[in-house]
């Protein structure tokens, strides 16, 4: 056995002091000074988006919950963790403990990434589970107490001497209650020779077939759950396979199989198979589906698998089966070699570089993937008269909805063009009255740039990547000559990186002060933005491009400043099918970031007799920047969505890798998930940490007309944190437009009963201010409850973030809908239909945005009751009595390599798997690359984005913080 030295706890103050001293020394030696952001400078727990009653690590990256177990009165939450950075990499198991699932104590790293004797990473520690081995069947126990055994995925890097690129299942054990761990000498214990075999969840089964351990793991890209059995946890025998079934887009991950009584009756039980997947969830991107059925000790049989191939009844308008587009007007991008996006005729199937297309009917369909995600264009039908009540259509591809008021072109608003950067060849900005500092002053000929910045107007623009010699690592400012603000709005095109700390932004200066700012969206394409400058009418101003950012997306692009009396019109980035009447979009549908086409339905009964066209629009060049269309049918009734007919753990965007705790009291089934989505996980706008866990939920099986289904509620321990004395209630509030309720709160529970009445839509807004808010409401026409975060604050950090999540929810017999909400600084967890439907979403509100208001659209509604109850924070508080672990020590077997020494330098070499289309971003996130077609990549990682290499930066001899109450003050 190779053993690492014990990790002696230091207080946070000492660790931060050491880091600060090192930073100061570096600044003195190099003549540079680090600029700390407001969030990075804030005390842990006081950051703008830091949750107050959800678990988040004090610092660095977190994803899937792992090894959740209850033992000796303590809940242990382990999790995928990068101990060296805020993005995915260096995968290890972090660890936190709690006695009530609310107050969490972060512990030292539990299972670190494995290195060889040269300090090279040879094994990442991917997801898995922990069991209490009551009978010591494994033989790992050494005393009277049973050992804890972790079963995890060894994701071997290409540098591993015997298993390069393989994923196999391994063991570690603990004899001190889960605080220190030893990796088994005989690892791996279950190896199928696969690059995508991962995420084991193990339980003890005692049934007619015998008593043994059962493992559920996945062959991720094959959409299969592998079941195996063992009597000692060390040797495993294959039992059976489950899948593919229901949603098979993307990859399957983090499975679980468990038994539950139906309606609490122990004599009537069913088995539940949970399968997380990415992408392909009901809201797009990551999510979790489940199946209900039976398990005989060998095989799981689902009773809820939905058979594919629903055909709509009605009159066909367009089936695309005739070999051509039959009168449709096709607009492809000029000069595109593949005649993209639509090609010259309907596609017969999957195109080169595209993931497998499913859900089409007949011989052909409109496929906007000719040439990949890059080309843009439209496809418009001949005009027709609406004579049916419903239009049904199959839609697939990217989830980029139509935005009202957007333009398909890229026209600037009316006004005076102040700067268009179209200087004569040989001229540069510094010779035209502009001033530059830092790297941008080194070679004036670099500005303006003629490259990058998609959708720039003309040939030239500002590009801080090109403005100096260092690409994304260029730093400095570029400041314009003075100009007069003689209009109400300043409009411009901006693209490039997103920073919320003031290090990467366009600034408007009036009287030398910054009065307006705008950052990019981590995107190569430039978008129109406008500032309301009416309060500065007649004043002189300057424009400054500030770039103090380095690393990926550490640059900005800027073009075409216009001063006028109207704001700019947003350029559409939709992948949408639109119904056009009198030149206006009256109905619309988009894909779900999926290559599986699914039914969308438009109720057009109110449009009977009117002339219309159907237009398919592909205006998006980024990930999932394509659209597919098939089987447009005129009908009397709508066709249900196939994807929505599956059973989902949650209908929101941010509930993934959800599994349950082993050994919970009274046999309750408590599940907890990662509150994030791989579509944008690495880019959420937190600084010193990334991601939180959802609230733990107790799940039960309850009878429904369709059979037993899962019902969820937050664990009752949360009720102990409710400040009932501080609650505020409003009743019978008439709504006819916007209504100020005089309520506020950002760490609260809301209980709402809403009667939509005559309104088309009605609801409440949370995390609100004068400019933004998250809308939770009911769409009466659609019969759906929704969470709309399209204007929720910071939505520009990633193009996939702004979205509306909704679920079908029937009104009660009295015409009302009731739901509960938990708000925690940067998240919304919604429960409705007695826990049968949940929606979980992250949001990133403007600073100070905490207003709670109500509204209705298209008629009157009634807010029957709303109660807002403060939640007492459980995190980042002064500690009380806590569980004190022994001094943390980690040991590893020689066959697994040495654990990292304080001087070791590591880099994770495994890359992620994905079926999502993506635009390559070489040169540290620059937009200068060419699009990469989507497709499966069996590269052996635990997340579906490009793997990021992280080096250890160990200060002061590799000190590690010991066990701590998160955010302990006064250390």
């Amino acid at each position: 056995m190779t053993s690492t030295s014990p990790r002696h706890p230091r207080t946070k103050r000492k660790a931060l002091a050491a880091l600060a001293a090192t930073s100061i020394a570096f600044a003195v030696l190099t003549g540079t000074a680090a600029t700390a952001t407001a969030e990075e400078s804030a005390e842990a727990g006081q950051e703008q988006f830091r949750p107050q009653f959800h678990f988040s690590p004090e610092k660095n990256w977190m994803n899937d919950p792992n090894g959740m177990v209850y033992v000796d009165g303590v809940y242990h939450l382990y999790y995928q963790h990068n101990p060296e950075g805020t993005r995915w990499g260096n995968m290890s198991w972090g660890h936190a403990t709690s006695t009530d699932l609310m107050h969490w104590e972060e512990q030292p790293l539990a299972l670190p990434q494995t290195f060889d004797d040269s300090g090279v990473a040879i094994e990442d520690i991917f997801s898995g589970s922990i069991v209490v081995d009551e009978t010591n069947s494994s033989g790992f126990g050494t005393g009277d107490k049973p050992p804890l055994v972790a079963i995890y995925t060894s994701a071997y890097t290409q540098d591993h001497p015997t298993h390069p690129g393989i994923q196999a299942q391994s063991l570690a054990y603990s004899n001190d209650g889960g605080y220190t761990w030893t990796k088994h000498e005989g690892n791996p214990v279950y190896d199928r020779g696969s690059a995508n075999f991962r995420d084991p969840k193990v339980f003890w089964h005692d049934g007619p077939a015998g008593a043994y351990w059962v493992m559920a793991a996945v062959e991720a890209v094959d959409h299969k759950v592998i079941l195996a059995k063992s009597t000692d946890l060390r040797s495993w025998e294959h039992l059976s396979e489950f899948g593919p079934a229901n949603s098979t887009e993307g990859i399957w991950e983090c499975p679980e199989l468990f038994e539950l009584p139906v309606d609490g009756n122990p004599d009537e039980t069913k088995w539940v198979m949970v399968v997380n997947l990415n992408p392909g969830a009901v809201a797009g991107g990551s999510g979790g589906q489940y199946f209900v059925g039976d398990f005989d000790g060998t095989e799981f049989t689902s009773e809820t698998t939905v058979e594919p191939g629903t055909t709509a009844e009605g009159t066909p308008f367009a089936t695309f089966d005739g070999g051509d587009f039959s009168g449709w007007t096709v607009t492809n991008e000029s000069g595109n070699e593949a005649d993209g996006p639509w090609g010259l005729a309907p596609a017969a199937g999957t195109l080169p570089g595209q993931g497998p297309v499913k859900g089409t009917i007949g011989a052909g369909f409109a496929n906007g993937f000719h040439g990949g995600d890059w080309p843009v264009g439209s496809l418009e039908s001949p005009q027709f008269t609406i004579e049916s009540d419903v239009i049904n259509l199959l839609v697939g591809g990217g989830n980029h909805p139509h935005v009202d008021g957007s333009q398909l072109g890229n026209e600037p608003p009316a006004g005076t063009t102040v700067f268009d950067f179209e200087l004569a060849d040989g001229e540069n900005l510094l010779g035209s009255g502009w001033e530059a500092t830092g790297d941008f002053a080194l070679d004036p000929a670099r500005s303006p740039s003629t490259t990058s910045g998609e959708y720039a107007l003309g040939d030239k623009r500002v590009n801080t990547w090109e403005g100096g010699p260092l690409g994304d690592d260029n730093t400095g400012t570029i400041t314009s000559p003075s100009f007069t603000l003689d209009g109400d709005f300043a409009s411009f095109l901006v693209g490039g990186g997103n920073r919320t700390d003031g290090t990467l932004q366009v600034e408007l200066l009036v009287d030398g002060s910054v009065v307006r700012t705008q950052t990019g969206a981590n995107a190569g394409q430039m978008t129109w933005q406008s500032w309301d400058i009416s309060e500065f009418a007649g004043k002189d101003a300057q424009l400054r491009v500030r770039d103090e950012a380095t690393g990926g997306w550490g640059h900005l692009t800027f073009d075409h400043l216009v001063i006028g009396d109207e704001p700019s019109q947003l350029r559409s980035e939709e992948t949408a099918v639109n119904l056009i009447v009198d030149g206006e979009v009256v109905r619309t549908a988009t894909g779900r970031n999926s290559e599986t086409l699914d039914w969308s339905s438009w109720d057009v009964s109110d449009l009977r007799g009117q002339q219309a066209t159907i237009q398919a629009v592909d205006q998006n060049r980024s990930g999932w920047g394509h659209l597919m269309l098939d089987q447009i049918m005129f009908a009397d009734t709508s066709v249900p969505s196939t994807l929505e007919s599956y059973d989902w753990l949650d209908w929101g965007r941010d509930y993934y890798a959800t599994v349950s705790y082993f050994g919970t009291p009274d046999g309750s089934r408590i599940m907890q998930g990662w509150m994030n989505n791989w579509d944008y996980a690495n880019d959420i706008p937190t600084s010193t940490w990334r991601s939180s866990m959802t609230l733990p939920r107790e799940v039960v099986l309850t009878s429904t007309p369709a059979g037993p289904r899962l019902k969820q509620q937050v664990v009752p321990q949360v009720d102990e944190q409710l400040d009932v004395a501080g609650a505020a209630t409003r009743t019978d509030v008439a709504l006819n437009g916007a209504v100020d309720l005089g309520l506020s709160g950002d760490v609260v529970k809301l209980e709402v009963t809403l009667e939509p009445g005559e309104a088309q839509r009605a609801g409440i807004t949370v995390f609100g201010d004068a400019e933004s808010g998250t809308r939770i409401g009911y769409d009466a026409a659609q019969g759906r409850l929704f969470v709309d975060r399209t204007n929720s604050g910071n939505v520009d950090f990633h193009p996939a973030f702004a979205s509306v999540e909704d679920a079908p929810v029937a009104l009660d017999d009295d015409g009302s809908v009731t739901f509960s909400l938990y708000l925690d600084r940067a998240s919304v967890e919604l429960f409705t239909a007695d826990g049968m439907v949940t929606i979980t979403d992250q949001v990133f509100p403007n600073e100070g945005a905490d207003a709670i208001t109500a509204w209705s659209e298209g008629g009157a509604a009634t807010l029957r009751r709303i109660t807002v109850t403060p939640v007492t924070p459980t995190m980042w508080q002064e500690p009380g009595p806590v569980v004190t672990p022994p001094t943390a020590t980690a040991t590893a077997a020689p066959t697994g390599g040495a654990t990292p020494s304080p001087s070791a330098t590591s880099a994770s070499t495994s890359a992620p798997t994905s079926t999502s289309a993506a635009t390559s971003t070489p040169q540290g996130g620059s937009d200068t690359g060419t699009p990469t077609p989507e497709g499966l990549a069996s590269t052996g990682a635990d997340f579906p984005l490009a793997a990021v290499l992280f080096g250890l930066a160990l200060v002061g001899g590799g000190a590690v913080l010991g066990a701590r109450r998160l955010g302990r003050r006064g250390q």
Side-chain angles (χ1 to χ4, degrees):
M1 299 275 180
T2 301
S3 176
T4 60
S5 301
R7 297 181 175 182
H8 300 290
R10 287 188 181 182
T11 65
K12 183 181 1 177
R13 176 171 293 175
K14 289 180 180 178
L16 293 180
L19 181 60
T22 303
S23 300
I24 293 170
F26 178 80
V28 170
L29 290 172
T30 63
T32 63
T35 302
T37 70
E39 187 161 85
E40 288 170 339
S41 300
E43 183 179 2
Q46 303 309 305
E47 304 95 333
Q48 180 180 352
F49 301 128
R50 177 71 79 171
Q52 298 296 290
F53 61 101
H54 290 73
F55 175 75
S56 62
E58 181 174 3
K59 61 181 181 179
N60 295 332
W61 169 268
M62 175 179 74
N63 57 287
D64 305 359
N66 294 157
M68 299 188 299
V69 63
Y70 179 79
V71 60
D72 296 333
V74 177
Y75 294 93
H76 293 257
L77 168 63
Y78 302 85
Y79 50 88
Q80 290 285 279
H81 186 48
N82 177 4
E84 307 302 334
T86 57
R87 287 174 172 258
W88 188 94
N90 304 306
M91 294 319 296
S92 307
W93 276 24
H95 183 202
T97 54
S98 173
T99 57
D100 64 357
L101 293 167
M102 291 285 114
H103 299 79
W104 290 96
E105 179 89 0
E106 191 169 346
Q107 304 292 345
L109 198 65
L111 289 174
Q113 185 184 27
T114 305
F115 299 81
D116 65 15
D117 293 336
S118 300
V120 175
I122 60 173
E123 178 197 30
D124 286 324
I125 312 300
F126 277 9
S127 291
S129 54
I130 290 175
V131 298
V132 181
D133 186 6
E134 296 286 357
T135 64
N136 195 24
S137 65
S138 63
F140 291 135
T142 58
D144 296 334
K145 293 178 62 176
L148 270 62
V149 181
I151 309 95
Y152 64 90
T153 297
S154 291
Y156 296 112
T157 74
Q158 293 297 332
D159 292 309
H160 195 277
T162 59
H163 295 80
I166 294 298
Q167 292 182 3
Q169 313 322 311
S170 293
L171 303 179
Y173 56 91
S174 172
N175 283 302
D176 63 3
Y179 295 98
T180 63
W181 293 86
T182 300
K183 294 174 182 174
H184 174 43
E185 289 184 349
N187 284 337
V189 296
Y190 192 14
D191 181 7
R192 290 167 52 93
S194 168
N196 293 283
F197 176 46
R198 57 178 176 264
D199 305 342
K201 191 70 166 72
V202 173
F203 64 96
W204 180 257
H205 179 67
D206 190 348
Y212 40 79
W213 298 104
V214 174
M215 175 194 296
V218 293
E219 284 287 356
V221 299
D222 296 334
H223 310 116
K224 291 182 178 180
V225 177
I226 306 301
L227 297 179
K229 72 174 183 178
S230 173
T231 57
D232 61 4
L233 294 170
R234 298 179 184 231
S235 58
W236 292 88
E237 175 187 342
H238 179 83
L239 287 174
S240 63
E241 300 175 357
F242 171 74
N246 289 359
S247 186
T248 56
E249 192 68 35
I251 54 176
W252 279 16
E253 293 187 312
C254 301
E256 180 167 19
L257 180 63
F258 54 81
E259 185 178 21
L260 284 176
V262 179
D263 300 324
N265 182 0
D267 296 326
E268 181 186 359
T269 65
K270 288 290 181 182
W271 286 79
V272 177
M273 174 75 80
V274 171
V275 178
N276 290 273
L277 71 158
N278 172 64
V282 67
S286 315
Q289 62 181 333
Y290 71 92
F291 304 82
V292 180
D294 292 308
F295 177 61
D296 61 5
T298 300
E299 184 176 5
F300 172 75
T301 303
S302 170
E303 299 174 354
T304 60
T305 300
V306 177
E307 296 301 323
T310 302
T311 302
E313 300 293 331
T315 302
F317 173 68
T319 63
F320 305 105
D321 292 334
D324 58 31
F325 285 113
S326 301
W328 286 61
T329 301
V330 182
T331 305
N332 288 319
E333 181 152 3
S334 177
N336 184 266
E337 294 181 355
D339 294 308
W342 306 109
L344 302 179
T350 302
L351 295 173
Q354 187 175 25
V357 175
K358 305 172 185 176
T360 62
I361 296 175
F365 65 102
N367 189 344
F369 198 74
H370 291 82
D373 280 329
W374 181 257
V376 297
S378 63
L379 184 65
E380 187 162 14
S381 76
Q383 192 174 67
F384 61 93
T385 302
I386 298 175
E387 296 178 340
S388 64
D389 289 338
V390 174
I391 299 177
N392 294 312
L393 58 163
L394 283 169
V395 182
N399 182 1
H400 305 287
H402 170 78
V403 177
D404 288 340
S406 59
Q407 58 167 319
L408 295 184
N410 194 37
E411 298 301 316
T416 301
T417 300
V418 180
F419 303 116
D420 63 8
F421 305 107
E422 299 302 312
L423 303 181
D425 291 345
E427 295 183 1
N428 60 67
L429 291 183
L430 270 64
S432 304
W434 290 67
E435 297 178 353
T437 66
D439 294 316
F440 308 122
L442 298 178
D443 184 358
R446 289 178 173 268
S447 294
S449 171
T450 58
T451 60
S452 300
E454 297 143 31
Y455 296 107
L457 296 178
D459 296 326
K460 300 178 181 180
R461 76 285 312 189
V462 172
N463 178 1
T464 65
W465 170 281
E466 299 288 347
L470 302 178
D472 267 334
D473 290 335
N474 289 323
T475 59
T477 62
I478 306 173
T479 307
S480 78
S482 179
F483 56 91
T484 302
L485 302 178
D486 53 3
D488 291 337
F489 293 92
S491 301
F492 49 87
L493 286 163
V494 65
N498 177 276
R499 299 289 193 276
T500 59
D501 56 9
T503 60
L504 188 65
Q505 60 190 21
V506 182
E507 301 171 341
L508 183 67
L509 307 178
V510 175
D511 295 330
S513 298
V514 176
V515 296
R516 298 288 186 271
T517 64
Q518 180 64 50
T519 187
N522 286 349
Q525 59 267 33
M526 303 173 76
T527 60
W528 282 106
Q529 300 290 338
S530 294
W531 291 321
D532 184 339
I533 56 171
S534 55
E535 64 183 287
F536 307 113
K539 285 183 171 289
D540 289 338
Q542 290 176 287
L543 185 84
R544 181 166 65 198
V545 178
R546 175 183 295 279
D547 183 349
E548 301 294 342
T550 59
W553 288 111
H555 70 281
L556 274 184
T557 52
F558 180 87
D559 193 20
H560 218 81
L561 176 67
V562 177
I563 305 296
D565 292 331
E566 297 295 332
S568 58
Q569 190 177 13
L570 184 69
R571 186 188 66 254
S572 169
E573 295 185 353
E574 66 197 81
T575 52
V577 185
N578 302 320
L579 181 67
I580 312 293
V581 174
D582 294 331
E584 300 292 330
V585 175
V586 295
R587 301 289 188 274
T588 186
T590 187
R592 299 178 186 264
N593 289 353
S594 170
E595 300 294 12
T596 300
L597 284 75
D598 197 7
W599 287 106
S600 291
S601 296
W602 295 329
D603 182 342
V604 293
S605 56
D606 60 323
L607 300 172
R608 273 179 169 271
Q610 298 197 47
Q611 297 293 299
T613 62
I614 293 174
Q615 185 183 54
V617 179
D618 179 353
Q619 279 285 116
N620 198 290
R621 297 191 191 277
S622 61
W624 287 106
H626 66 281
L627 181 73
M628 297 176 292
L629 176 65
D630 197 10
Q631 301 295 314
I632 302 173
M633 309 289 288
F634 299 155
D636 295 328
T637 58
S638 61
V639 179
S641 159
T642 302
L643 194 65
E644 291 190 1
S645 68
Y646 306 151
D647 294 304
W648 297 98
L649 292 177
D650 193 277
W651 289 70
R653 292 274 276 156
D654 296 302
Y655 193 67
Y656 189 59
T658 306
V659 287
S660 70
Y661 284 83
F662 181 96
T664 48
D666 304 321
S668 59
R669 183 64 55 175
I670 298 173
M671 304 189 76
Q672 194 164 15
W674 176 48
M675 196 187 297
N676 217 330
N677 191 305
W678 280 120
D679 278 357
Y680 42 75
N682 278 277
D683 297 312
I684 61 171
T686 55
S687 59
T688 58
W689 87 100
R690 272 199 173 92
S691 297
S692 64
M693 294 299 179
T694 66
L695 290 174
R697 305 176 184 182
E698 183 174 356
V699 299
V700 298
L701 271 179
T702 189
S703 296
T704 75
R709 294 295 186 271
L710 288 180
K711 181 168 69 174
Q712 307 177 61
Q713 62 181 4
V714 178
V715 292
Q717 291 93 318
V718 73
D719 294 338
E720 300 174 14
Q721 304 308 128
L722 299 180
D723 178 11
V724 178
T729 298
R730 305 287 185 266
T731 59
D732 297 325
V733 180
L735 306 178
N736 201 346
V739 175
D740 185 351
L741 300 173
L743 298 172
S744 63
D746 64 355
V747 184
V748 294
K749 178 184 179 182
L750 280 72
E751 296 170 279
V752 179
T753 299
L754 174 72
E755 182 182 342
E758 299 175 354
Q760 296 174 355
R761 291 154 59 98
I764 63 172
T765 297
V766 300
F767 297 122
D769 60 13
E771 300 175 349
S772 65
T774 300
R775 287 159 56 96
I776 294 98
Y778 191 80
D779 187 317
Q782 300 294 322
R784 301 176 75 88
L785 192 64
F786 63 84
V787 175
D788 179 352
R789 65 181 187 184
T790 56
N791 187 36
S792 56
N794 186 349
V795 299
D796 294 334
F797 62 87
H798 193 283
F801 182 77
S803 59
V804 179
E805 283 63 71
D806 61 1
V809 176
L811 295 176
D812 293 338
D813 292 340
D814 62 358
S816 69
V817 61
T818 297
F819 53 91
S820 299
L821 295 167
Y822 293 88
L823 310 183
D824 191 4
R825 289 272 181 90
S827 63
V828 174
E829 289 184 79
L830 181 152
F831 296 77
T832 190
D834 196 27
M836 301 299 292
V837 175
T838 64
I839 301 176
T840 302
D841 269 2
Q842 294 182 97
V843 292
F844 299 98
N846 293 338
E847 189 167 6
D850 64 357
I852 299 171
T853 58
W855 49 271
S856 70
E857 297 173 350
T862 302
L863 183 60
R864 289 190 183 174
R865 184 178 183 88
I866 179 171
T867 297
V868 181
T869 306
V871 179
T872 303
T874 61
M875 308 294 298
W876 317 105
Q877 307 304 303
E878 288 288 353
V882 297
V883 177
T884 303
T887 301
T889 308
T891 58
T895 56
T899 53
S901 66
S903 60
T905 300
S906 72
S908 172
T909 59
S910 53
T913 56
S914 174
T915 61
S916 172
T919 301
S920 65
T921 53
Q923 302 173 327
S926 168
D927 53 336
T928 58
T930 55
T932 299
E934 64 188 327
L936 293 172
S938 304
T939 49
D942 210 24
F943 88 115
L945 304 171
V948 181
L949 304 181
F950 289 90
L952 294 175
L954 302 179
V955 177
V960 179
L961 295 182
R964 57 194 177 273
R965 177 69 52 122
L966 288 177
R968 184 185 305 180
R969 296 174 183 159
Q971 288 185 316

